[in-house]
Amino acid sequence: FFLQFVFHTYTTAFTLVNGNGTPKAEEYSLQQKQILLGLGAISYSACVGALPLTFMNRYTLKSSLMQLVIRKLLPAPLFGLTSAFTVAMVRSPEFDNGIEVMDRNGKVVGVSKKAGEKAVMETALSRAVLFGTTFFLPEVLMYFVQRARFVKNPRALSPVRMFVIMSVLAGMLPVSFSMFPQCGEIKRADLEPEILSSTEETEFFYNRGI
């Protein structure tokens, strides 16, 4: 649980710092709300991530199939889903208050909730792909490494595994960040009527955040 908590604390803090800064609200402290949402998301994600191992140890499930599912196959989708969940929670004010949209010249034409929703969903998807792949692909590679007996000393497996994980993470970072453009585009038909009434532009852009 502690390691899960540390991991999700880091990713949540990164999301908080690199989100879109448009949302404003007078009736509450937006930063305090995001911190509270972040703490809730961190705690929930850490519990979900630790639950399979806790369940396995609690009921002494030692069969090879359970070991394969819980230790090898389950972590990847869990990390992907919980990472996307923390993004959606921390940046939920962008759903509620919207983010700025600009024309092709960079002039702000309004604040759109639909653009905020699109930005958050794109970021959450890219984060799920990043961490889901980072925790899945090394397990596949290590399986072939062990089967081919490239590493004969069992003590060397841990450093090799760490090297593989870091290599996959380094390779997936640019892939994740480039899945969607930093300056996202939204169609005129997808914007709110109050924004469309103030401009004749057909192309609109927004800052997606990271």
Side-chain angles (χ1 to χ4, degrees):
F1 174 83
F2 176 73
L3 294 177
Q4 294 271 349
F5 190 88
V6 171
F7 170 80
H8 289 294
T9 298
Y10 172 77
T11 58
T12 300
F14 181 87
T15 301
L16 185 62
V17 171
N18 293 283
N20 188 295
T22 300
K24 299 291 187 298
E26 298 179 356
E27 65 271 19
Y28 55 80
S29 172
L30 186 62
Q31 188 175 13
Q32 289 179 358
K33 179 181 179 180
Q34 287 182 297
I35 291 174
L36 290 175
L37 288 172
L39 288 174
I42 292 167
S43 301
Y44 177 80
S45 298
C47 288
V48 170
L51 185 61
L53 283 176
T54 303
F55 182 82
M56 185 180 71
N57 293 331
R58 172 67 176 81
Y59 294 99
T60 61
L61 303 175
K62 302 299 183 181
S63 69
S64 57
L65 178 60
M66 293 303 298
Q67 292 280 339
L68 174 65
V69 171
I70 294 179
R71 291 187 179 275
K72 304 295 184 181
L73 301 180
L74 198 56
L78 274 183
F79 270 110
L81 290 173
T82 53
S83 297
F85 172 75
T86 56
V87 171
M89 287 294 292
V90 173
R91 294 182 56 178
S92 60
E94 296 176 33
F95 287 109
D96 301 331
N97 303 327
I99 62 175
E100 291 179 345
V101 290
M102 303 159 285
D103 61 20
R104 66 183 66 187
N105 298 318
K107 179 184 176 181
V108 176
V109 296
V111 175
S112 170
K113 293 182 181 180
K114 293 182 179 180
E117 179 180 348
K118 191 169 185 287
V120 174
M121 294 306 295
E122 288 175 347
T123 305
L125 179 58
S126 67
R127 197 69 57 82
V129 170
L130 170 63
F131 290 115
T133 304
T134 299
F135 284 95
F136 173 74
L137 193 55
E139 293 297 336
V140 176
L141 296 176
M142 287 303 299
Y143 170 78
F144 288 108
V145 167
Q146 291 176 285
R147 186 172 182 179
R149 299 184 183 277
F150 289 134
V151 181
K152 297 182 179 180
N153 186 351
R155 295 183 179 180
L157 284 176
S158 294
V160 171
R161 183 186 300 275
M162 184 60 65
F163 173 77
V164 171
I165 291 175
M166 295 302 295
S167 299
V168 172
L169 178 61
M172 282 303 300
L173 277 172
V175 173
S176 172
F177 290 157
S178 62
M179 282 183 62
F180 303 100
Q182 184 63 39
C183 184
E185 182 177 355
I186 186 169
K187 297 178 181 179
R188 181 181 177 89
D190 294 332
L191 289 175
E192 291 86 344
E194 55 270 23
I195 297 178
L196 301 180
S197 62
S198 62
T199 179
E200 296 297 326
E201 292 286 343
T202 57
E203 296 179 341
F204 300 90
F205 304 90
Y206 57 89
N207 175 28
R208 178 174 67 84
I210 299 177

